[in-house]
Amino acid sequence: QALGEIMHETSVPPTLRAILLDEVRHIESADLALAKIRKGLTASLQRTKVASAFSGVHAVTGPSGAGKTSIVYHIANAHSQLHGQDGIAIISFNDNRLGAWPQLQLLSASAGIDCFKIKNTTGLSELVANLSNRKLIIIDTPSNQIEENIGAIRTAASHAACHLVFPADVSAGTIKRFLAVERAHWQSLALTKLDDCLNPWAVIQMLAENDIPLSFAGARSALENKAEVAAIINALVGRGIRLLAPTPLTQTAWAGATLARTFAGAAVR
């Protein structure tokens, strides 16, 4: 009961909460219960797929403030040896965010990679066609008009791969909104702000319920790197478990619940 209350307060999604509580329903020690939850979650999430290296056309999108432009830079930088700087191009598409284009220009220049700015579908189609000799094209998109932007990208490059960028403490509502974009067929998930994550439980449930590979955690590439995926999973689960660790107040509640069960059992006997 005490653990259930903590999970509710820390916004563990109801479905996941029910599963985890069922796993530890006979355990009366907080430490043992949390250790079992951590072990089970880690083992489950370690089945997360490893994303392959990028080639062709790739679109990056996510909520406002998620760090999409930085991830675009990290993707380009991670592939510079594979494709060469001249083999990569970055496109800013339909993005009117204040300061977004100058930031992308600076990041692209630091990586030695060409970048372009396009506002409409026709221009995007023409630019992608003109860049057909590039081995990797990365399209940076804004957080609004997701359906329309994905549609335009599909028009310009029907086989483009779409990737999600979420902060590690993204809300369940935001995840649901982006997963509802069926035309995206999300190819991978890049996480940002993992070190500053306050609550990873929505992302943990997303990875548990969806077959989406992990590709990046900030500047750390997990492409074709199972060990790096495992490290990211361990970091996520570890942060989640720390939120559930008993404080003096919740430890008292846990002990009280255990004592009540003990007296109830004695009364039955």
Side-chain angles (χ1 to χ4, degrees):
Q1 180 181 353
L3 179 58
E5 291 173 358
I6 298 172
M7 286 184 171
H8 178 73
E9 292 170 1
T10 54
S11 302
V12 177
T15 302
L16 183 58
R17 183 164 73 235
I19 294 171
L20 297 179
L21 287 174
D22 186 62
E23 288 294 316
V24 297
R25 63 187 184 279
H26 298 307
I27 299 177
E28 298 181 357
S29 161
D31 291 339
L32 290 178
L34 294 179
K36 183 171 183 178
I37 288 174
R38 180 168 190 158
K39 182 179 179 180
L41 268 180
T42 302
S44 175
L45 295 182
Q46 293 294 5
R47 295 195 292 269
T48 299
K49 287 184 177 180
V50 179
S52 300
F54 293 6
S55 62
V57 181
H58 293 258
V60 173
T61 192
S64 178
K68 295 183 293 296
T69 301
S70 294
I71 287 294
V72 167
Y73 164 76
H74 295 317
I75 293 172
N77 201 42
H79 290 84
S80 59
Q81 289 189 345
L82 177 63
H83 299 309
Q85 293 173 323
D86 294 337
I88 303 172
I90 297 173
I91 300 173
S92 172
F93 175 62
N94 194 27
D95 195 345
N96 298 313
R97 291 174 297 163
L98 185 64
W101 173 237
Q103 180 191 12
L104 186 60
Q105 286 179 301
L106 287 172
L107 291 174
S108 299
S110 69
I113 292 169
D114 294 332
C115 67
F116 306 85
K117 183 177 176 65
I118 291 294
K119 291 186 177 181
N120 55 59
T121 304
T122 301
L124 180 64
S125 297
E126 293 175 354
L127 180 56
V128 169
N130 291 335
L131 295 173
S132 60
N133 63 324
R134 304 293 179 108
K135 295 180 180 179
L136 174 61
I137 299 172
I138 311 164
I139 305 175
D140 188 13
T141 67
S143 56
N144 60 340
Q145 298 179 311
I146 308 165
E147 296 272 4
E148 293 83 351
N149 291 332
I150 294 297
I153 291 166
R154 291 285 182 222
T155 299
S158 59
H159 298 297
C162 298
H163 304 269
L164 280 169
V165 178
F166 283 152
D169 55 4
V170 64
S171 70
T174 298
I175 291 175
K176 184 178 180 180
R177 179 164 61 92
F178 278 87
L179 291 184
V181 184
E182 296 182 358
R183 293 189 66 186
H185 306 297
W186 304 112
Q187 297 296 303
S188 84
L189 169 66
L191 290 175
T192 60
K193 307 178 183 179
L194 181 57
D195 293 337
D196 301 321
C197 175
L198 297 176
N199 192 321
W201 282 108
V203 164
I204 289 173
Q205 174 157 310
M206 174 190 175
L207 290 172
E209 294 182 345
N210 296 275
D211 197 22
I212 299 179
L214 274 172
S215 53
F216 284 83
R220 295 160 52 188
S221 170
L223 299 173
E224 300 180 350
N225 190 335
K226 191 171 184 179
E228 190 61 42
V229 170
I232 296 169
I233 294 299
N234 284 334
L236 277 173
V237 173
R239 287 183 176 275
I241 293 299
R242 282 197 289 274
L243 288 176
L244 305 182
T247 63
L249 179 61
T250 57
Q251 182 65 68
T252 300
W254 195 303
T258 301
L259 188 63
R261 285 195 300 273
T262 301
F263 277 114
V268 170
R269 288 193 298 270

